[in-house]
Amino acid sequence: MFRKYKLRDFDFKLMFMTIALAAIGVIAIGSAEESLQPKQFYGVLAGVVVMVVLSFINYNSLLKLYWFMYAGNLGLLLLVMFLGEDHKGAQRWLELGPITFQPSETAKILLILFFAQFIMKYKEKINTVKILAICVGLVAVPWVLIFEQPDLSTSIVVLAIFCVILFAGGISWKYILGALAVVIPALVVIVALAVQPDQTILKDHQRNRILAFINPEEYATAEAYQQLNSVMAIGSGQLDGKGYKNNEITSVKNGDFISEAQTDFIFAVIGEEFGFKGCVVVIVLMMGVALECVAVARRAKDMAGRIIAAGMGGLIAFQSFFNIGVTTFILPNTGLPLPFVSYGLTSLMSCFIGIGFVMNVRLQAGRNTGQS
């Protein structure tokens, strides 16, 4: 399981970028909700340890358990359905003693690992209707369980990651273009139907979020309230920000105009306190992590490694885009955390685990190159 590697093949750049993002998260959370800062700090320490340990474990050995990963993923999602804690109309969390656990976050990583092994096993048949249909069926089961929590935002990210996985797995362009020809018009029709008063496609709060995005003035004191205040906070930070933990009475954060800013709207806190410069640093680091994952995918020694690295790159890229898009009001409110930065130990640990696998893919590629 453990192998000998060369230090020069270790991806220090990826490790430092993820740690930098996590450090920014700890700092910002300390301002948004100081009582949660120690927990996030210890979560980062644990995550870094797990990431480094996983980076030295041969991912091919762990992927042999891919069916256990899939079954465990379904088991956790089913537990949420029957034993999950309800919070603001959504049942997404399991309480394990003092720990609150969100299985939909780990589901993203487990699905990437599962399909990495499954597609590598059937890589010669990936463009057959049978294998593609099996892949769709395998992702559909956990997707439905996530969607029914209800968690529309995470279910959208899962579909985006699945598309990246299939692309990295070598799916033919004719299937990609054919899928786009069907999906794009279907999405337009679904959105058009979803905003109708008597629709049954979306829950009421999900429909209202879309309507609030289309007509924010009408929902300024309801569904659009958070996003409008988030934009105000980011804009008020201007170039250099108002300063860390400032006591300005004009601060949107200090006035509690953004509830639970430590989670989905942590980017608004960064924008207000560290300004445009702070926002650019976060965006550049997110892009750096995603692009480094893509670079690792291109160097991977096998199909499984390519899918792991590409899948994680897609996860970081899509989820960052959705989160920042919500806080800047260019997208409807989705309720997704900002990877490595938002408060939430399940999301944090899942991201570190995923990056740990990517770092091992990089080490394996370097080792393979050195032997050839």
Side-chain angles (χ1 to χ4, degrees):
M1 183 175 288
F2 288 93
R3 293 184 176 184
K4 292 182 179 180
Y5 302 105
K6 295 180 179 179
L7 189 62
R8 69 184 182 189
D9 295 325
F10 191 82
D11 202 333
F12 288 103
K13 179 166 60 175
L14 183 58
M15 182 180 71
F16 288 144
M17 285 190 293
T18 55
I19 292 175
L21 281 169
I24 291 171
V26 172
I27 292 169
I29 288 166
S31 179
E33 186 59 59
E34 191 170 5
S35 63
L36 298 176
Q37 190 177 40
K39 187 182 290 187
Q40 186 78 359
F41 174 73
Y42 290 122
V44 170
L45 289 182
V48 171
V49 171
V50 171
M51 176 181 68
V52 172
V53 170
L54 282 174
S55 71
F56 290 105
I57 298 178
N58 183 1
Y59 65 88
N60 295 111
S61 299
L62 296 177
L63 291 184
K64 293 176 182 177
L65 304 172
Y66 70 116
W67 279 113
F68 289 99
M69 295 178 186
Y70 186 79
N73 188 21
L74 292 188
L76 289 171
L77 292 173
L78 285 170
L79 281 176
V80 172
M81 180 178 290
F82 295 106
L83 302 175
E85 293 294 320
D86 190 279
H87 180 65
K88 294 184 178 180
Q91 193 167 317
R92 305 173 187 170
W93 295 268
L94 286 174
E95 285 198 3
L96 307 175
I99 300 174
T100 302
F101 178 70
Q102 190 173 354
S104 61
E105 289 296 326
T106 56
K108 303 168 193 173
I109 308 300
L110 290 173
L111 284 173
I112 290 172
L113 298 177
F114 169 78
F115 279 111
Q117 182 67 16
F118 183 85
I119 292 176
M120 187 171 74
K121 185 176 180 180
Y122 296 101
K123 61 183 178 181
E124 302 300 330
K125 301 178 180 179
I126 186 62
N127 285 302
T128 62
V129 174
K130 178 182 177 182
I131 295 300
L132 283 176
I134 292 173
C135 287
V136 171
L138 287 168
V139 79
V141 179
W143 183 88
V144 169
L145 292 175
I146 293 170
F147 182 81
E148 291 297 322
Q149 292 183 358
D151 194 345
L152 178 62
S153 53
T154 300
S155 62
I156 292 173
V157 171
V158 167
L159 287 181
I161 294 170
F162 181 62
C163 292
V164 172
I165 287 170
L166 289 182
F167 183 77
I171 187 173
S172 171
W173 276 101
K174 68 178 181 180
Y175 288 115
I176 295 174
L177 295 175
L180 290 175
V182 173
V183 170
I184 293 175
L187 285 175
V188 173
V189 173
I190 290 171
V191 171
L193 293 174
V195 297
Q196 300 302 315
D198 56 347
Q199 63 85 34
T200 57
I201 298 172
L202 301 177
K203 303 290 185 182
D204 287 342
H205 75 278
Q206 294 171 337
R207 172 180 171 271
N208 289 339
R209 285 180 175 182
I210 296 175
L211 291 173
F213 176 72
I214 297 171
N215 190 5
E217 292 80 9
E218 186 178 338
Y219 293 83
T221 59
E223 280 77 10
Y225 181 78
Q226 287 269 79
Q227 287 180 276
L228 289 172
N229 287 331
S230 173
V231 171
M232 187 186 303
I234 294 171
S236 69
Q238 299 186 45
L239 183 62
D240 297 310
K242 295 178 179 177
Y244 183 55
K245 291 187 177 181
N246 67 82
N247 57 3
E248 292 187 21
I249 59 174
T250 57
S251 168
V252 176
K253 185 210 70 180
N254 293 342
D256 291 327
F257 293 111
I258 302 176
S259 62
E260 298 185 19
Q262 70 275 10
T263 54
D264 305 339
F265 286 88
I266 195 67
F267 191 74
V269 176
I270 294 170
E272 184 175 66
E273 299 196 342
F274 300 101
F276 178 75
K277 293 178 180 177
C279 291
V280 169
V281 169
V282 172
I283 292 171
V284 168
L285 285 171
M286 288 294 179
M287 288 179 59
V289 171
L291 291 174
E292 182 65 15
C293 288
V294 172
V296 172
R298 296 183 65 178
R299 298 184 59 179
K301 69 171 186 176
D302 56 21
M303 179 70 73
R306 186 192 311 168
I307 290 173
I308 289 172
M312 277 304 301
L315 188 159
I316 299 298
F318 282 116
Q319 195 157 311
S320 300
F321 174 75
F322 287 140
N323 178 277
I324 295 173
V326 167
T327 57
T328 54
F329 219 154
I330 64 172
L331 291 173
N333 197 346
T334 58
L336 284 169
L338 187 60
F340 296 106
V341 181
S342 291
Y343 175 76
L345 298 186
T346 311
S347 173
L348 182 68
M349 291 299 296
S350 297
C351 288
F352 272 120
I353 289 170
I355 294 299
F357 274 95
V358 174
M359 290 171 67
N360 183 253
V361 172
R362 174 68 179 82
L363 276 174
Q364 293 282 349
R367 183 175 184 274
N368 195 54
T369 301
Q371 289 180 344
S372 60

